[in-house]
Amino acid sequence: MKDPVTIVTGVSYERKNIEKWFFVYNKKTCPTTMQCVESFDMTPNHTLKRLILAWKETLVAPSSTSSSMPQPLIKHDEMVSLFTALESSPFKVSSMKKIRAIVELGDETKSDFIRSGGVEAVVGMLINQFDNSDFVSFQACEEALGILHLLPLSKQDEKSFQLISQPDPMRSIAIILQRGSAEARFYAITIFRKIAKTGFNWNPLIEDQGIDLFKSLLELVYDGICNKASSYALEILFEILSSSKKSRLKAIEAGAICILIELLPDSNRSKSEKMLLLIKLLCESPEGRMAMVDHSLGIPVISKTLLQVSNLATKLGVKILWQVCNFHPTERVLEEMLMYGAVKKMVTLLHLEGRLSSTKKKVLEMLKMHCNSWKRHQCFPCDLKDYLGVK
């Protein structure tokens, strides 16, 4: 700590970190005790600061013999000694931070970390400590993810991938994704994203964690604290939902349709396309279509994306409306499509889309199927009635 302060619960923190906890993440609890905090007053802890300064003064400068040794060799020896003592050390958080500082030095130290058995040591610690319920053990597990998220975790490094993708470490990572600090959740989602790129089978983890896994992923999407974490969560949701129809029911139950619909209007192009892709997948099931129809913003938001975000977004929007129109063509749905401009934009698409495009075919199907409901309204084009053969 450089500027330790004490809050009302009597626990001391680094000032910038606790300010971020209260005022950036909008938390109203003490991170250590989880007590509710009514006052955000912070008192400088001068005693602790003096102790820190005194400790710094006692640090011995590196000896001439050690400074003459090659830097990688010094770091290798330090890393191995930390691995060896990790299991028995009462200062696991401090040890993990030291290991991470070495791994962050570059690709050479990352490779040395893997070769020297670092992944085995850190994953072993992650599994063993996770069964403990105390705060320090959980913090040590968060620090473990801080190290693991720096590694490639590809199938080229099969040994590391196999160690981390086992059920026990994956379960630990999933729980940190649900309960960890903002930083630790970013580590967890980064690890999951790297694993997702290998064609990982998510079904065992979904069976173990159930709806909680989807809630934690959707919470990252909804929070918006970190754009990268939000984007990673969308990618992982796509990997899971595209490979398993059964998992889509759990995602719907977790509120996926509601969250995606509410976030869609304010999202950028990339995120909008990812969200529409997820909505399309979810609307392939009856439960997803019902959730879409029941949401008051469902049809208006999808209608708005047509011809506005990108070509891909328009194609996905047409597919979603086609799924809803085919299976849930209620009077309200058809009226909202007309009211919020979906029908008008579909008419425009008839002129823009290629002759045999699948999007144009779906548009024609919807217009022919429901023109009897829409033709009564003045905004339905007269020339289109002739084109469709409607009287």
Side-chain angles (χ1 to χ4, degrees), residues 107-135:
D107 292 338
E108 189 177 346
T109 52
K110 280 181 191 174
S111 300
D112 188 33
F113 171 81
I114 295 168
R115 283 194 306 269
S116 304
V119 180
E120 291 92 326
V122 172
V123 170
M125 196 281 313
L126 175 66
I127 296 168
N128 294 334
Q129 288 296 303
F130 214 85
D131 292 332
N132 299 331
S133 57
D134 60 288
F135 174 77

Side-chain angles (χ1 to χ4, degrees), residues 173-230:
I173 296 167
I175 292 174
I176 289 175
L177 187 66
Q178 296 164 31
R179 307 177 194 166
S181 64
E183 201 172 17
R185 288 163 71 204
F186 178 73
Y187 300 152
I189 201 70
T190 303
I191 293 169
F192 274 174
R193 180 179 181 249
K194 290 179 180 180
I195 288 173
K197 289 184 175 181
T198 64
F200 177 74
N201 179 14
W202 294 93
N203 289 331
L205 185 64
I206 294 168
E207 288 297 322
D208 179 60
Q209 294 297 304
I211 194 174
D212 289 337
L213 176 63
F214 292 99
K215 284 182 177 178
S216 60
L217 289 168
L218 290 165
E219 188 177 345
L220 269 185
V221 174
Y222 192 79
D223 277 351
I225 294 172
C226 173
N227 283 330
K228 194 177 281 187
S230 176

Side-chain angles (χ1 to χ4, degrees), residues 318-360:
V318 168
K319 286 179 182 178
I320 293 165
L321 293 174
W322 181 82
Q323 287 168 334
V324 173
C325 279
N326 261 9
F327 298 99
H328 296 280
T330 63
E331 186 176 344
R332 197 200 79 179
V333 166
L334 298 177
E335 281 186 5
E336 285 185 349
M337 285 181 68
L338 194 69
M339 188 187 309
Y340 292 103
V343 176
K344 184 178 180 181
K345 289 179 180 180
M346 286 194 297
V347 172
T348 304
L349 280 169
L350 288 178
H351 303 291
L352 297 178
E353 283 294 320
R355 185 179 172 188
L356 296 173
S357 74
S358 60
T359 303
K360 184 172 182 177

Side-chain angles (χ1 to χ4, degrees), residues 136-354:
V136 175
S137 295
F138 193 82
Q139 195 177 8
C141 293
E142 290 186 331
E143 290 297 333
L145 297 199
I147 297 169
L148 297 175
H149 95 286
L150 298 169
L151 306 180
L153 301 183
S154 62
K155 283 197 171 178
Q156 281 72 29
D157 179 21
E158 191 170 348
K159 189 176 181 182
S160 298
F161 171 76
Q162 288 295 335
L163 282 166
I164 296 171
S165 61
Q166 292 299 309
D168 285 341
M170 288 295 284
R171 174 180 170 273
S172 301
I173 296 167
I175 292 174
I176 289 175
L177 187 66
Q178 296 164 31
R179 307 177 194 166
S181 64
E183 201 172 17
R185 288 163 71 204
F186 178 73
Y187 300 152
I189 201 70
T190 303
I191 293 169
F192 274 174
R193 180 179 181 249
K194 290 179 180 180
I195 288 173
K197 289 184 175 181
T198 64
F200 177 74
N201 179 14
W202 294 93
N203 289 331
L205 185 64
I206 294 168
E207 288 297 322
D208 179 60
Q209 294 297 304
I211 194 174
D212 289 337
L213 176 63
F214 292 99
K215 284 182 177 178
S216 60
L217 289 168
L218 290 165
E219 188 177 345
L220 269 185
V221 174
Y222 192 79
D223 277 351
I225 294 172
C226 173
N227 283 330
K228 194 177 281 187
S230 176
S231 183
Y232 288 176
L234 288 170
E235 290 176 27
I236 293 164
L237 281 166
F238 174 73
E239 291 293 334
I240 294 174
L241 299 181
S242 60
S243 62
S244 168
K245 290 186 178 181
K246 191 177 178 182
S247 65
R248 296 175 194 179
L249 298 178
K250 287 186 172 68
I252 293 163
E253 189 181 347
I257 291 281
C258 181
I259 288 170
L260 294 171
I261 286 294
E262 289 176 10
L263 292 177
L264 193 54
D266 299 319
S267 298
N268 60 29
R269 173 178 169 172
S270 175
K271 276 192 178 178
S272 294
E273 290 172 351
K274 289 173 183 174
M275 289 179 184
L276 286 165
L277 196 54
L278 290 173
I279 294 170
K280 182 190 82 71
L281 285 173
L282 294 172
C283 283
E284 289 176 4
S285 68
E287 293 82 0
R289 291 190 292 271
M290 281 303 301
M292 173 75 185
V293 170
D294 289 343
H295 198 297
S296 60
L297 294 177
I299 299 300
V301 166
I302 299 300
S303 299
K304 189 178 179 181
T305 62
L306 300 182
L307 298 175
Q308 183 167 318
V309 179
S310 67
N311 288 336
L312 177 58
T314 296
K315 289 178 181 179
L316 291 169
V318 168
K319 286 179 182 178
I320 293 165
L321 293 174
W322 181 82
Q323 287 168 334
V324 173
C325 279
N326 261 9
F327 298 99
H328 296 280
T330 63
E331 186 176 344
R332 197 200 79 179
V333 166
L334 298 177
E335 281 186 5
E336 285 185 349
M337 285 181 68
L338 194 69
M339 188 187 309
Y340 292 103
V343 176
K344 184 178 180 181
K345 289 179 180 180
M346 286 194 297
V347 172
T348 304
L349 280 169
L350 288 178
H351 303 291
L352 297 178
E353 283 294 320

